[in-house]
Amino acid sequence: MSDERLLVLVEDDEAFARTLKRSFERRGYTVLTADNHAALVALLAGHRPTHAVVDLKLGAESGLVCVQTLHAHDPAMLIVVLTGFASIATAVEAIKLGASNYLAKPSNTDDIEAAFSHASGDPSTPLAPRPTSIKTLEWEHIHEVLKDSDFNISEAARRLGMHRRTLARKLAKRQVG
């Protein structure tokens, strides 16, 4: 098979990597896998992939290093970053380092292929704000009150009109920061 659609998959979750690999192979891609940056560098020594899918969190490593390496290897490569830890900061950094797109998990092969085809961006994307959930609004309010009370949980609970233990339970579910 020609290297016309050679995809490198950088993913440390073996089961997920195996599933994605099979799915892309059924779509006509030749798929190579690496589970960390060192394995990726070794792979790139003998191959020139056209597409890449990179997990943002590779054990203790950051997938952003892999994005940078892939982009340096071939600036025309289409790179999609997948993550279960999506944030605006990591999305911006991934794009700056050469990623074509950034997707939050769970994403499937259809989502990833669509991301490959939308690598150039779409200026007609609507700017309408996403509706905010009640839980998100509550969390933002709690965080703001915590900040205003210098992260003193007892004082924040008093200002919020709730028991200190209730606030502590809420904070344990969703870390501040």
Side-chain angles (χ1 to χ4, degrees):
M1 178 173 273
S2 113
D3 284 354
E4 187 176 307
R5 288 173 44 143
L6 178 59
L7 181 137
V8 63
L9 175 60
V10 186
E11 171 65 63
D12 61 340
D13 180 340
E14 289 179 36
F16 185 62
R18 197 172 36 252
T19 301
L20 267 184
K21 181 178 192 257
R22 280 194 303 254
S23 185
F24 274 109
E25 286 173 341
R26 283 193 297 270
R27 292 169 187 247
Y29 289 84
T30 301
V31 181
L32 305 169
T33 60
D35 61 357
N36 59 43
H37 184 255
L40 173 65
V41 171
L43 234 164
L44 292 177
H47 301 281
R48 193 157 182 88
T50 57
H51 297 76
V53 177
V54 180
D55 187 12
L56 184 63
K57 190 165 175 15
L58 300 167
E61 292 182 356
S62 168
L64 293 176
V65 176
C66 296
V67 171
Q68 185 175 35
T69 301
L70 288 162
H71 185 69
H73 184 71
D74 181 3
M77 185 184 316
L78 297 174
I79 305 167
V80 172
V81 174
L82 287 182
T83 182
F85 304 92
S87 75
I88 292 171
T90 56
V92 168
E93 289 306 314
I95 301 302
K96 282 182 183 177
L97 292 170
S100 313
N101 224 314
Y102 182 95
L103 298 173
K105 288 180 181 177
S107 293
N108 59 29
T109 311
D110 291 332
D111 299 331
I112 297 167
E113 265 199 327
F116 284 144
S117 66
H118 292 103
S120 60
D122 181 6
S124 66
T125 301
L127 299 176
R130 193 176 99 216
T132 305
S133 72
I134 297 292
K135 285 186 178 193
T136 301
L137 288 172
E138 176 190 37
W139 177 249
E140 289 173 356
H141 181 64
I142 288 172
H143 186 72
E144 190 63 34
V145 171
L146 266 171
K147 189 174 91 177
D148 291 343
S149 62
D150 295 325
F151 294 92
N152 179 323
I153 293 176
S154 295
E155 177 60 21
R158 187 188 63 72
R159 290 180 185 184
L160 290 165
M162 67 173 64
H163 196 279
R164 186 189 53 76
R165 278 184 274 170
T166 302
L167 178 57
R169 278 193 298 271
K170 285 180 181 282
L171 293 173
K173 289 182 183 177
R174 192 167 174 183
Q175 295 295 315
V176 176

